[in-house]
Amino acid sequence: MVWGAGVVKIAGHSLEYGCWGPEPSEAPTIVLLHEGLGSVGLWRTWPALLAEQTGMGVLAYSRAGYGRSTPDTLPRPLDYMEREARDVLGPLLDALEVQSCVLLGHSDGATIAGIYAGSVSDMRVRGLILLAPHFFAEAKGIEAIHAAGRAYADGDLRDKLARHHDTPDVAFHGWHDAWIDPGFANWNVADAIDHWRVPSLTIQGTADPYGTFAQVHEVEERTYAPAEVLVLDGCGHAPHQEREAEVTAEIVAFCARLQQFENADVHIPESA
């Protein structure tokens, strides 16, 4: 494993990754899980900022079909997020020698993080940070994805994506075509929340075209673990970009609370 940048082979794909800050043997790691059209590069300068302000390591990778990773097979199955959590994330953490981590996901990435935390028993995962997550399909979000399809076909969205993805058509259609499939209207993975056993921070903008506050309510109503929520008035689908300073400060504080709890000297009295 090379801490910095490289390629790791997982589940038959070569996946690009980037790392910032301390190595896993020196500090906990924030694992970044990108959105439906994201990649390592599209996190831009934020991973370095997170590493600097939290004192933690930061690891990002591009899923198959995204960024500089090898292409994925289309059409992508409707349970592609569940498969990513089940088949890829754990082996990737193994390969990159992550020892203790916080999963930080955006949109599809937040969903994958939530599924992993609720379906895989992994003591390395100490907390969840979810930016604009979705645990079930909403008509509003599907309408926004149809609009993105029109922008891809008739506008300049493809040209923009081609700057960041070796296979932009795979990146776009793998995401878009799954979400607009009629069968996706009944997609729901909210039962994963029932099994969270780590603290979470959910960040949601009130002007997000892809999801509503119903997703946050699902977290609040179903998790038995401590759950914090930050609602950003007027913010859209990318809180870490639209409100970078505010979101970063909240994440830094959340990670500090996690580490304080982890390092607390808890006295357990002896039984009589």
Side-chain angles (χ1 to χ4, degrees), residues 187-204:
W187 173 81
N188 190 314
V189 294
D191 58 348
I193 302 170
D194 299 339
H195 304 283
W196 291 356
R197 295 297 180 263
V198 295
S200 64
L201 168 64
T202 302
I203 301 176
Q204 178 69 41

Side-chain angles (χ1 to χ4, degrees), residues 74-76 78 145 172-182 184:
L74 299 185
R76 194 168 281 156
L78 302 189
I145 292 169
F172 182 81
H173 286 291
W175 165 76
H176 170 272
D177 294 1
W179 274 88
I180 67 167
D181 187 289
F184 210 85

